[in-house]
Amino acid sequence: MLKIWILVLLAGGVGWFLYERSRRRTAPMAGGIHEDVTLPHEREWELYHNSFSLCSKKLRVCLAELGLDYRSQPIDLLETGSYENLSRRFLSVNPGGIVPVLVHRGHPVYESHDQIVYAARRAGRRGRELLPEDPETRALVERWTDVASLVGPDPIGGTAERAGHCIPGLTLPIFATMVQYIPYTRFLEGLLFHFERRRPLMLALLKLRGIHGLPGLPPLMAILRRSRRDMERHLDALGEQLEKNGGPWIAGERFSLADVSWVVILDRLVEADFHGFFWGEDRRPAVAAYWARLQERPSYAAAITSQRCRTLHDGIADLKAAKRDDSRLRAALEGVEGE
Ligand SMILES: N[C@@H](CCC(=O)N[C@@H](CS)C(=O)NCC(=O)O)C(=O)O
């Protein structure tokens, strides 16, 4: 009798998996506007986003700076609670299963670096300020925007070329503390349905080992060390650029899409408690002053600080406490003697 029940349960599990998989197929999507797709919508602009996601923050800052009103559609990710990005509802918006998605008049626009340009081009005068028309300034803005972007299928490769690609590696410590609040059962959906399985696997490993176990995970530490080394170079270049043109912004007098793209990078380094390492105690004063100016803009409060979730607050507190109490961990994360 027991065998029959086990067989029935197994068959039910397999049947559920096959049924769900046929409805929750994920596949990467090309960037830009998809005019062939029209989604149900109520407002001209709608944004599917997550409170913690770097690229979502970039869109929120951008829309706040452009003064574009939008309908907010918050989507949970595993690290903030659950795999809502793999729900059937969200996969009908983005079969890629990632945020952010900007929706304009019902048409989805994918990839955050394309979304900010798309929005700026439709925002009149303010859009032209953020994305200047004169070719020289525009090329400069595009170059600095690109360096801060997350482009292509390999978010942890290309750290030497893009500061944006250093972010996943430098987020590992805060991921390690945030995922402690997420039950193991929630990881299953990612492993079963996401086309990119490395992410749920890595997050599960971080949950298993915890923040104090991170230094004992050589593949993850190698990514972190490489990201930290390359981020140092990107921040040196940023400091030089700000000094060269006299600031206050990357393109000089005018705040632009380049600054929209960099505020979220610096903010993530603060969340992951790397700001002291990168620009504390008189290191990189131009970057430190730039960071102070960025936080004074109303878009920073509207798009970032006011939207921080509970898991992030707790994760930051736990990370700071762990580094304070465990000198080996601190040394490993900050690359000092004894690592
Ligand atoms: N290249 C994409 C990257 C977007 C991305 O990686 N989104 C992450 C959050 S920052 C995501 O939605 N991850 C969810 C998952 O993989 O489960 C962009 O710039 O929009």
Side-chain angles (χ1 to χ4, degrees):
M1 192 63 185
L2 184 66
K3 274 189 195 156
I4 293 176
W5 274 112
I6 292 174
L7 278 176
V8 168
L9 280 176
L10 269 177
V14 171
W16 171 83
F17 169 65
L18 293 175
Y19 175 79
E20 283 295 313
R21 201 183 57 173
S22 68
R23 275 160 182 72
R24 294 211 243 169
R25 283 208 186 284
T26 58
M29 299 299 287
I33 176 103
H34 288 241
E35 277 174 346
D36 52 325
V37 179
T38 306
L39 300 164
H41 60 285
E42 289 174 11
R43 305 266 291 274
E44 178 176 1
W45 296 98
E46 305 205 346
L47 180 68
Y48 291 79
H49 63 110
N50 173 266
S51 58
F52 177 65
S53 129
L54 179 96
C55 302
S56 299
K57 286 182 194 171
K58 182 161 65 177
L59 258 293
R60 294 199 300 265
V61 172
C62 179
L63 296 176
E65 288 286 346
L66 290 172
L68 289 181
D69 206 19
Y70 63 93
R71 180 172 174 224
S72 164
Q73 304 261 27
I75 298 293
D76 240 339
L77 301 180
L78 178 64
E79 57 269 32
T80 57
S82 70
Y83 260 123
E84 195 181 358
N85 55 316
L86 294 181
S87 63
R88 281 187 231 159
R89 179 178 98 89
F90 182 69
L91 290 178
S92 70
V93 174
N94 184 1
I98 54 172
V99 287
V101 180
L102 181 65
V103 177
H104 187 219
R105 299 196 168 119
H107 304 306
V109 187
Y110 301 127
E111 293 295 320
S112 58
H113 38 277
D114 291 334
Q115 293 161 359
I116 56 175
V117 171
Y118 182 92
R121 287 202 174 126
R122 280 153 192 85
R125 188 186 54 78
R126 187 66 188 128
R128 287 189 294 279
E129 281 170 14
L130 258 61
L131 186 60
E133 283 177 327
D134 90 89
E136 205 181 314
T137 322
R138 176 174 284 225
L140 188 140
V141 168
E142 284 175 350
R143 184 152 48 81
W144 281 93
T145 301
D146 184 61
V147 169
S149 299
L150 261 168
V151 182
D154 185 11
I156 49 177
T159 50
E161 290 77 32
R162 289 200 175 89
H165 286 230
C166 299
I167 289 299
L170 293 168
T171 303
L172 290 172
I174 186 74
F175 272 149
T177 51
M178 286 174 76
V179 291
Q180 298 312 316
Y181 294 94
I182 314 296
Y184 276 112
T185 45
R186 306 249 172 99
F187 289 66
L188 203 61
E189 274 181 281
L191 295 169
L192 291 179
F193 302 120
H194 210 306
F195 68 90
E196 169 55 280
R197 287 193 176 74
R198 279 183 307 176
R199 196 171 188 272
L201 271 175
M202 179 202 74
L203 291 174
L205 195 61
L206 286 173
K207 176 160 172 78
L208 200 66
R209 298 295 295 269
I211 183 66
H212 296 283
L214 178 57
L217 296 169
L220 296 190
M221 283 309 292
I223 298 170
L224 190 146
R225 273 195 293 270
R226 191 183 65 229
S227 306
R228 193 178 59 208
R229 181 201 64 205
D230 289 336
M231 182 57 89
E232 293 232 56
R233 296 184 185 145
H234 293 300
L235 291 177
D236 285 341
L238 176 65
E240 276 166 31
Q241 171 65 19
L242 290 163
E243 273 164 7
K244 192 171 76 189
N245 69 12
W249 311 115
I250 290 176
E253 287 295 314
R254 248 195 219 162
F255 186 89
S256 72
L257 287 189
D259 304 294
V260 166
S261 305
W262 273 89
V263 59
V264 297
I265 299 241
L266 300 186
D267 180 66
R268 173 54 49 84
L269 296 178
V270 173
E271 287 173 340
D273 201 35
F274 276 118
H275 52 305
F277 172 80
F278 284 119
W279 66 82
E281 293 170 13
D282 284 342
R283 270 188 296 269
R284 303 190 177 89
V287 173
Y290 175 59
W291 170 236
R293 286 193 291 276
L294 287 168
Q295 291 170 87
E296 281 166 14
R297 296 187 74 86
S299 62
Y300 181 71
I304 299 189
T305 41
S306 64
Q307 307 220 13
R308 290 215 164 108
C309 66
R310 183 71 213 219
T311 321
L312 175 60
H313 275 293
D314 293 347
I316 291 175
D318 295 348
L319 174 59
K320 284 184 194 261
K323 283 170 76 175
R324 192 187 56 226
D325 299 344
D326 180 348
S327 56
R328 194 181 128 268
L329 171 69
R330 191 188 170 102
L333 295 182
E334 303 198 347
V336 292
E337 286 302 303
E339 185 187 331

